[in-house]
Amino acid sequence: METPISDSIGLKIIPLGGLGEIGLNMAVFEYGDDIVIVDCGLMFPEPDMLGIDIVIPDITYLIERLDKVRGILLTHGHEDHIGALPFVLRQLNPPIYGTALTLGFVREKLKEYELDNKVDLRVVRPRDVVDLGVFSVEFIRVAHSIVDGCGLAIGTPEGVVIHTGDFKLDQTPVDGELTDLATFSRYGEAGVLALMADSTNVEREGYTLSEKLVGDAFDEIFPRCPQRVIVAAFSSNIHRVQQVVEAAARCGRKVLLNGRSMIANVQIARELGYLRIPDDLLIDLKEMNRLPKEQICMITTGSQGEPMSALTRIAMDDHKQIKLEEGDTVILSSRFIPGNEKTISDLINHLYRRGAEVYHEKVSEVHVSGHASQEELKLLQNLVRPRYFIPVHGEYRHLVKHGQLAQRLGLPKERCILAVNGDVIAFSNGEGCIIDRIETGRVFVDGKGVGDVGNVVLKDRKHLSEDGMVVVIIGINQGSGEIIYGPDIVSRGFVFEDESQEYLDEAKKVVVDTLALVNTEVRADWSEVKLEVRRVLRRFFNKTIERRPVILPLVLEM
Amino acid sequence: METPISDSIGLKIIPLGGLGEIGLNMAVFEYGDDIVIVDCGLMFPEPDMLGIDIVIPDITYLIERLDKVRGILLTHGHEDHIGALPFVLRQLNPPIYGTALTLGFVREKLKEYELDNKVDLRVVRPRDVVDLGVFSVEFIRVAHSIVDGCGLAIGTPEGVVIHTGDFKLDQTPVDGELTDLATFSRYGEAGVLALMADSTNVEREGYTLSEKLVGDAFDEIFPRCPQRVIVAAFSSNIHRVQQVVEAAARCGRKVLLNGRSMIANVQIARELGYLRIPDDLLIDLKEMNRLPKEQICMITTGSQGEPMSALTRIAMDDHKQIKLEEGDTVILSSRFIPGNEKTISDLINHLYRRGAEVYHEKVSEVHVSGHASQEELKLLQNLVRPRYFIPVHGEYRHLVKHGQLAQRLGLPKERCILAVNGDVIAFSNGEGCIIDRIETGRVFVDGKGVGDVGNVVLKDRKHLSEDGMVVVIIGINQGSGEIIYGPDIVSRGFVFEDESQEYLDEAKKVVVDTLALVNTEVRADWSEVKLEVRRVLRRFFNKTIERRPVILPLVLEM
């Protein structure tokens, strides 16, 4: 089914994800017969998406235009920018462009899905220019909480569009690779049609602190720790790992890596030269157990309190090899991701119960953000001086605030395009606006199923989660309509059956009474009877214990 | 069943709730034949307590000693200090002591449960002393985010125990009622056996800001608002309401009160003289609709994004009388309560979608905490100079941190008692320690049911919420064991049935095959057959779509 948009209009930019939400970043750039895609990210499920494993963008628009897609451009290797690739690549398979580390992480991810040999990964370096149909794309170095990130200057027949990816203006990045303001300036001087910039931290005043400061905090904390130091961090945060390793080395500690993704990402980053760790600094679990406790530093995943992670098991005193003791120190060197606060808080409490001392971002400078704050966003805006501004990567309030920020710098309100996912932003002859909307949305991945869990199923799960389920079984003779079995009642998650048999018997009696009444009148229409059974039970449960379980009457014709 | 603790030991303090968690505050003081209870609070359910409405403490220990209970002492009127009363008073009914506003709120709450005429509420004023058996209790004024709060000096034959309740050292409280440091000092000078102090904000450095600053923020924001101002706050925060009203009056705005508890609490506080609002300042909805928008200020509940609240309905554009417009301003003058961050964030995004401007505690000084920060906690500690210190009101990490703080001020580690709910702290001849533990815990209230939902039911709800439920029905002849109905499969919250009929038919076939196999062998033991059906279906679902629904095989003997 074609969407009703004329393909003759100049440049179209269509965000498929990431505008009005954090995560799921993906944008389509279309001109005539050419399409390029920027990023292909996932989102982790929100609390109301019960049982969902991950969320990916709906790419129907692209599937309808498969022959136009010239390439996927990746800004960096975070899950919210590359995580949907294993699913998207099953349906479209153009060349994928990114820097070495970004593609290193992509290849590792695709291995899990046995897709790594079926894709065309093309490594670029910052300031490389890639030609894709009418588009000519320059990669621009940006600093972020992952190594080797880039923004993009996308040359189109209508003018240049700058996309920042995720960035900050760290003046002392760990690898010395500064955000390439010279290149952003060059485009600003030459004239930029539109700027799409990261809105994540637009609510924060001032400047985001430098990654280096976290290293300083480690240097302050590590020597004071009487026994083991355990640092939890995101495995993609290679600079963080580098700083932990260096701080550990400086105070005579050996390093144990823990967590599947930590081990994999460190290996990739070392192979590609992004991470420098002398071999003799690394130890395994056996060696750790032979060393004095004050010579040990462990780097691990699990900073979000993931239930199956080693760190959570250690905190719950449920880890076979590692037992925490008084004197041990745990540093959560990572963000409290919104939605995970409670789980992380529980993790910290359990660590204290084991006797450990805990440092985390709320009480110590053991984490900094990877996203630009207000002053950095203003600086970039003033360097690039775009004709149009499109805030991206943020919840709706972030986009609004970022638009207000641009307007305070002088951008006319009508040239600040407040778009959300699915909006079709068109540029023609230097003018731009939202001209249409396409169907877009979130596709739920639950186990192996992609897209087969929708809102009806989620609504059922929500309902089930609140008061459980009551199944009522009635067997009737197909011919006579006579009741030959039941009614019988079985429940799950409703009341504790072993202790509430009397109550359930009462409920059964309500059904019996109902059946006695309707049996003579509407015996022919059992769907009516089902409705009536559900109605009387709902009333009974509500009146007696004020609960509203899912009620499933089953009338079995035999 | 008596617990095995000797009742001969001097003074016993037993926290029933609030130590190792936020909320559920309740503590027992026992000496010989006398018991007094401090506070009787609820906790709102944590995310994993699916379908639970509220949580209350387990008071089995008190029920076993009903004849000893001399009174309940309330420190202030917050839900986490009075909210369990309607349930606890069904089982024990001693006199309840508190200040006028605290008991005003209690009476209102008990009205809902038709208990208000069955209880003995006794109003005290700060510095009043109440004698209860061997105990002699002085109420001490403390500043907090609710009016008329008190700490307690509990005189016992073993010495005085100071309990702070919830407090801060606000030097400019809105009503001028300072925390009564003179009285705390007097006890300190005379000698205090033990101090139990609020640990909520122990992770915060410095001093908690004064409530007055929020008024200053209102004065700065209100005049700049081009149209309506809507302020969301906790209805118990009478000083906050007072400040909104005054700021509104100063810039010529009339005030509409919204929300059942807001209207009730304002009425109670006005009647008791704690809140001063001229009658002609208040308007109703009809009057509001006649006034120009820049003359309107609404004070409402719903600051936590509660789904049924007026504010959420306004934000979703689902409110009959009130439609937000560009130019309207919403101020969330309240804390983002941990666990509610996502819901509040959604609320803010929706408000922006309606065109409103939004202020909240993360971006503006429109809220201050009611709990003391580190410097205040130190000051109190140094004034009271207790022999023993028992940190209370906090998660485990807060208690640890508060203990560390006291030790940095010179308290020996062995006199810092790190107790959790159920620990029996005993004092005798000036020495104190934890001597035992009693059974305690959380009682779940779900609808009208108190305590009938336990961990098994919650586990089922959690399981149901993740992948839904599959019911398999098989009818067999009671005599011959012959299958006369099914197998039939019905699901909820698993896959969308309308679209997955084929898949469910496949699952049915798996059951048919299983039955064909076992029917001849173990026909006699249908519980074995049920287990086998569950086993093969679990394997089938896991292999085909990697989901693990609750599987409920029903074998009906007919």
Side-chain angles (χ1 to χ4, degrees):
Chain A
M1 193 194 71
E2 278 286 89
T3 45
I5 299 163
S6 154
D7 280 339
S8 63
I9 294 157
L11 170 69
K12 285 189 283 190
I13 302 177
I14 310 171
L16 297 186
L19 275 70
E21 68 204 348
I22 300 281
L24 215 73
N25 297 297
M26 188 170 193
V28 174
F29 287 71
E30 183 175 6
Y31 190 98
D33 287 332
D34 297 310
I35 281 178
V36 291
I37 299 161
V38 174
D39 288 333
C40 188
L42 60 70
M43 189 165 92
F44 292 103
E46 296 177 355
D48 56 345
M49 301 175 187
L50 296 166
I52 300 301
D53 299 319
I54 62 171
V55 185
I56 58 173
D58 181 346
I59 57 161
T60 309
Y61 185 84
L62 293 170
I63 292 169
E64 290 165 357
R65 291 161 180 82
L66 276 187
D67 56 327
K68 285 185 168 192
V69 178
R70 305 286 163 247
I72 299 176
L73 307 158
L74 300 177
T75 59
H76 63 283
H78 275 151
E79 289 288 356
D80 56 337
H81 292 258
I82 67 168
L85 279 173
F87 306 96
V88 167
L89 291 181
R90 289 176 193 162
Q91 300 184 281
L92 53 95
N93 196 359
I96 300 174
Y97 299 85
T99 54
L101 188 78
T102 304
L103 295 187
F105 284 174
V106 167
R107 190 180 301 280
E108 180 69 20
K109 167 172 287 295
L110 295 179
K111 262 188 209 162
E112 281 174 51
Y113 293 85
E114 292 168 11
L115 284 165
D116 53 317
N117 292 318
K118 295 176 188 145
V119 293
D120 179 2
L121 302 180
R122 302 188 186 181
V123 174
V124 296
R125 283 166 311 179
R127 300 204 178 176
D128 276 0
V129 176
V130 177
D131 288 313
L132 295 163
V134 297
F135 298 106
S136 168
V137 183
E138 178 168 358
F139 282 72
I140 309 173
R141 164 69 69 224
V142 294
H144 183 43
S145 47
I146 189 169
V147 178
D148 222 9
C150 283
L152 303 169
I154 302 172
T156 83
E158 291 287 339
V160 172
V161 179
I162 301 266
H163 192 300
T164 64
D166 287 350
F167 81 106
K168 67 191 276 195
L169 298 187
D170 195 332
Q171 301 303 326
T172 52
V174 173
D175 58 0
E177 294 277 350
L178 297 154
T179 295
D180 184 0
L181 295 180
T183 298
F184 283 114
S185 308
R186 173 162 52 82
Y187 280 103
E189 290 289 315
V192 168
L193 176 65
L195 170 66
M196 304 168 78
D198 177 13
S199 310
T200 311
N201 270 358
V202 71
E203 289 179 326
R204 297 199 193 174
E205 292 178 358
Y207 275 81
T208 301
L209 296 176
S210 170
E211 175 66 27
K212 272 269 174 72
L213 285 187
V214 179
D216 295 345
F218 291 156
D219 278 338
E220 203 187 305
I221 296 169
F222 280 24
R224 279 194 276 138
C225 298
Q227 298 202 26
R228 285 172 298 196
V229 174
I230 299 178
V231 182
F234 294 119
S235 64
S236 64
N237 199 339
I238 297 302
H239 281 160
R240 193 64 53 85
V241 173
Q242 182 76 57
Q243 296 199 101
V244 175
V245 167
E246 289 175 10
R250 275 194 286 272
C251 62
R253 291 175 187 267
K254 300 279 184 184
V255 174
L256 174 82
L257 298 171
N258 184 67
R260 204 192 49 76
S261 69
M262 183 62 77
I263 292 166
N265 285 353
V266 164
Q267 191 186 340
I268 294 167
R270 289 180 83 195
E271 281 170 9
L272 294 172
Y274 290 91
L275 183 55
R276 294 169 308 281
I277 311 182
D279 282 330
D280 64 352
L281 203 63
L282 292 175
I283 52 172
D284 61 21
L285 208 58
K286 257 192 215 159
E287 291 171 284
M288 184 179 96
N289 288 334
R290 281 200 298 264
L291 278 177
K293 291 216 158 69
E294 69 274 15
Q295 289 176 28
I296 294 167
C297 174
M298 178 170 143
I299 309 179
T300 184
T301 52
S303 65
Q304 301 301 304
E306 298 90 337
M308 303 306 292
S309 71
L311 188 59
T312 297
R313 278 183 285 127
I314 291 170
M316 307 284 280
D317 205 12
D318 188 30
H319 194 283
K320 276 177 195 157
Q321 284 97 7
I322 303 169
K323 289 244 168 296
L324 275 191
E325 293 171 11
E326 190 147 347
D328 287 334
T329 303
V330 178
I331 301 174
L332 303 182
S333 182
S334 55
R335 186 174 173 217
F336 281 47
I337 291 183
N340 296 349
E341 291 92 348
K342 173 80 180 69
T343 321
I344 299 172
S345 174
D346 287 348
L347 173 70
I348 296 171
N349 286 322
H350 281 298
L351 290 168
Y352 272 109
R353 284 195 185 92
R354 301 285 85 73
E357 187 57 55
V358 186
Y359 295 84
H360 53 86
E361 66 158 351
K362 311 268 185 199
V363 296
S364 188
E365 281 184 357
V366 292
H367 177 65
V368 297
S369 171
H371 298 274
S373 298
Q374 287 173 7
E375 293 308 313
E376 294 158 273
L377 296 172
K378 288 181 197 167
L379 194 153
L380 190 86
Q381 193 82 230
N382 280 333
L383 278 187
V384 174
R385 283 179 288 152
R387 185 165 166 79
Y388 285 89
F389 176 53
I390 308 168
V392 299
H393 302 177
E395 296 181 26
Y396 193 78
R397 69 176 190 278
H398 300 125
L399 306 181
V400 171
K401 287 276 161 198
H402 205 173
Q404 291 174 352
L405 179 142
Q407 287 165 42
R408 280 201 300 277
L409 298 178
L411 189 90
K413 191 174 179 184
E414 63 275 15
R415 287 205 252 123
C416 172
I417 300 178
L418 199 66
V420 292
N421 300 336
D423 281 341
V424 179
I425 309 162
F427 291 97
S428 183
N429 301 317
E431 302 300 319
C433 62
I434 296 169
I435 57 161
D436 204 346
R437 273 190 65 72
I438 62 160
E439 272 300 317
T440 179
R442 298 165 172 187
V443 175
F444 298 136
V445 180
D446 179 2
K448 282 189 189 166
V450 179
D452 65 338
V453 171
N455 288 330
V456 174
V457 172
L458 282 189
K459 221 172 133 182
D460 278 344
R461 287 184 185 171
K462 172 102 172 91
H463 192 166
L464 286 167
S465 78
E466 280 166 1
D467 281 323
M469 180 153 183
V470 174
V471 183
V472 186
I473 310 115
I474 304 160
I476 57 166
N477 183 296
Q478 212 163 2
S480 65
E482 192 194 348
I483 294 173
I484 54 173
Y485 180 86
D488 207 355
I489 288 189
V490 182
S491 80
R492 279 293 179 281
F494 173 55
V495 291
F496 192 42
E497 295 199 27
D498 288 1
E499 290 173 2
S500 311
Q501 197 49 55
E502 245 175 71
Y503 179 66
L504 291 176
D505 285 345
E506 255 183 84
K508 206 185 289 184
K509 194 172 167 300
V510 170
V511 178
V512 170
D513 293 349
T514 306
L515 290 175
L517 226 66
V518 297
N519 215 2
T520 50
E521 290 167 24
V522 282
R523 184 183 303 191
D525 189 353
W526 281 98
S527 66
E528 275 297 320
V529 177
K530 277 198 218 179
L531 283 179
E532 182 62 13
V533 166
R534 186 179 286 141
R535 209 178 57 78
V536 296
L537 274 183
R538 191 182 294 152
R539 204 167 45 197
F540 173 74
F541 293 140
N542 192 24
K543 202 173 121 192
T544 48
I545 55 171
E546 282 185 2
R547 283 180 212 167
R548 292 157 200 83
V550 174
I551 300 170
L552 186 62
L554 299 175
V555 175
L556 316 175
E557 297 185 56
M558 298 172 173
Chain B
M1 194 193 69
E2 278 286 272
T3 47
I5 299 166
S6 154
D7 279 340
S8 63
I9 294 159
L11 169 69
K12 285 189 280 186
I13 303 177
I14 310 171
L16 297 185
L19 275 70
E21 67 207 346
I22 299 282
L24 216 70
N25 298 298
M26 187 169 193
V28 174
F29 287 71
E30 183 175 5
Y31 190 97
D33 287 332
D34 297 309
I35 282 179
V36 291
I37 299 162
V38 175
D39 288 332
C40 187
L42 61 70
M43 190 167 91
F44 293 103
E46 296 179 353
D48 55 346
M49 300 175 187
L50 296 166
I52 300 302
D53 299 320
I54 62 173
V55 184
I56 60 173
D58 181 345
I59 56 162
T60 308
Y61 186 83
L62 293 170
I63 292 169
E64 291 165 357
R65 292 160 179 79
L66 275 187
D67 55 328
K68 287 187 170 190
V69 178
R70 306 285 164 249
I72 298 177
L73 308 159
L74 301 177
T75 59
H76 62 282
H78 275 151
E79 290 288 353
D80 54 338
H81 293 258
I82 67 168
L85 280 174
F87 306 96
V88 167
L89 292 180
R90 290 177 194 161
Q91 301 184 279
L92 53 99
N93 196 359
I96 300 174
Y97 299 85
T99 55
L101 188 78
T102 304
L103 294 186
F105 284 174
V106 167
R107 191 180 300 279
E108 180 68 19
K109 169 172 287 293
L110 294 179
K111 262 188 210 162
E112 281 173 52
Y113 293 85
E114 293 169 10
L115 285 167
D116 52 320
N117 292 320
K118 296 174 188 148
V119 294
D120 178 4
L121 301 181
R122 304 189 184 178
V123 174
V124 295
R125 281 167 310 179
R127 298 202 178 177
D128 277 0
V129 176
V130 178
D131 288 314
L132 295 163
V134 297
F135 299 106
S136 167
V137 182
E138 178 169 359
F139 283 72
I140 310 172
R141 164 70 70 223
V142 295
H144 183 43
S145 47
I146 191 169
V147 177
D148 222 8
C150 283
L152 305 169
I154 303 172
T156 82
E158 291 287 339
V160 173
V161 178
I162 302 266
H163 192 299
T164 65
D166 286 351
F167 82 105
K168 65 192 277 193
L169 298 187
D170 195 330
Q171 300 303 327
T172 51
V174 172
D175 59 0
E177 294 279 350
L178 297 155
T179 295
D180 184 0
L181 295 181
T183 298
F184 282 112
S185 307
R186 175 163 50 83
Y187 280 101
E189 289 291 315
V192 168
L193 176 65
L195 169 66
M196 303 168 78
D198 177 13
S199 312
T200 312
N201 271 357
V202 70
E203 288 179 326
R204 297 199 193 176
E205 293 179 358
Y207 273 81
T208 301
L209 296 175
S210 170
E211 177 65 29
K212 272 268 172 72
L213 283 188
V214 179
D216 296 345
F218 291 156
D219 278 338
E220 202 186 306
I221 296 169
F222 280 24
R224 280 193 277 137
C225 298
Q227 300 202 25
R228 286 174 296 199
V229 173
I230 299 177
V231 181
F234 293 119
S235 63
S236 63
N237 198 338
I238 297 304
H239 281 161
R240 194 63 55 84
V241 174
Q242 182 74 56
Q243 296 200 98
V244 175
V245 167
E246 289 175 11
R250 276 194 284 273
C251 62
R253 290 175 188 267
K254 299 280 185 184
V255 173
L256 175 81
L257 298 171
N258 184 69
R260 202 192 50 75
S261 68
M262 183 63 76
I263 291 167
N265 285 353
V266 164
Q267 194 187 336
I268 294 167
R270 287 180 82 194
E271 281 170 10
L272 294 173
Y274 290 91
L275 183 56
R276 297 168 306 280
I277 312 182
D279 281 330
D280 65 351
L281 202 64
L282 292 175
I283 53 173
D284 61 19
L285 208 57
K286 259 193 212 155
E287 293 171 282
M288 183 179 96
N289 288 333
R290 282 199 298 262
L291 279 178
K293 291 215 158 64
E294 69 274 15
Q295 290 175 27
I296 294 167
C297 175
M298 179 170 142
I299 309 180
T300 184
T301 51
S303 66
Q304 301 301 305
E306 297 89 336
M308 303 306 293
S309 72
L311 188 59
T312 297
R313 278 182 285 125
I314 291 170
M316 305 285 279
D317 205 12
D318 189 30
H319 193 283
K320 276 178 193 153
Q321 283 97 5
I322 303 169
K323 287 243 166 298
L324 276 191
E325 293 170 11
E326 190 147 347
D328 288 334
T329 303
V330 178
I331 300 174
L332 303 182
S333 182
S334 55
R335 185 174 175 218
F336 282 48
I337 291 184
N340 296 348
E341 292 92 346
K342 174 78 182 69
T343 320
I344 299 171
S345 174
D346 287 348
L347 173 70
I348 296 171
N349 286 321
H350 281 298
L351 290 168
Y352 272 109
R353 285 195 183 92
R354 303 281 87 74
E357 186 60 53
V358 186
Y359 295 84
H360 54 88
E361 66 158 350
K362 308 268 187 200
V363 297
S364 187
E365 282 184 356
V366 291
H367 177 66
V368 298
S369 171
H371 298 274
S373 298
Q374 288 172 7
E375 292 309 314
E376 294 157 273
L377 296 173
K378 287 182 199 167
L379 194 153
L380 189 86
Q381 192 82 228
N382 280 333
L383 278 188
V384 174
R385 283 178 291 153
R387 185 164 167 77
Y388 284 90
F389 177 53
I390 308 168
V392 299
H393 302 178
E395 297 181 26
Y396 193 78
R397 69 174 189 278
H398 300 126
L399 306 181
V400 172
K401 287 276 161 198
H402 204 174
Q404 290 175 352
L405 179 142
Q407 287 164 44
R408 279 201 301 277
L409 298 178
L411 190 89
K413 191 174 179 183
E414 63 277 14
R415 286 207 251 122
C416 173
I417 300 178
L418 200 65
V420 293
N421 299 336
D423 280 341
V424 179
I425 309 163
F427 291 96
S428 183
N429 301 317
E431 302 300 317
C433 63
I434 297 170
I435 58 160
D436 204 345
R437 273 188 67 73
I438 62 160
E439 270 300 316
T440 178
R442 298 166 171 185
V443 176
F444 299 135
V445 180
D446 179 3
K448 283 188 189 166
V450 179
D452 66 338
V453 171
N455 288 330
V456 174
V457 171
L458 282 188
K459 222 173 132 183
D460 277 345
R461 288 184 186 171
K462 171 101 172 89
H463 192 166
L464 286 167
S465 78
E466 279 165 3
D467 282 321
M469 178 152 183
V470 174
V471 183
V472 186
I473 310 113
I474 305 160
I476 58 165
N477 183 296
Q478 213 161 359
S480 66
E482 192 194 350
I483 295 173
I484 55 173
Y485 179 86
D488 207 353
I489 288 189
V490 182
S491 81
R492 282 291 180 283
F494 174 54
V495 291
F496 191 42
E497 295 201 28
D498 288 2
E499 289 173 2
S500 310
Q501 198 47 56
E502 246 174 72
Y503 179 67
L504 291 175
D505 285 346
E506 255 182 83
K508 205 184 290 182
K509 197 174 165 297
V510 171
V511 178
V512 170
D513 293 349
T514 306
L515 291 175
L517 226 65
V518 298
N519 216 3
T520 51
E521 291 167 21
V522 284
R523 185 182 301 191
D525 188 353
W526 281 97
S527 66
E528 275 297 318
V529 176
K530 275 198 216 177
L531 283 179
E532 181 64 11
V533 165
R534 186 180 286 143
R535 209 177 58 77
V536 296
L537 274 183
R538 190 183 295 153
R539 203 167 47 197
F540 173 73
F541 293 139
N542 191 25
K543 201 173 121 191
T544 50
I545 56 171
E546 283 185 0
R547 282 180 213 167
R548 291 158 201 83
V550 174
I551 299 171
L552 186 61
L554 300 176
V555 175
L556 317 176
E557 297 184 57
M558 298 168 172

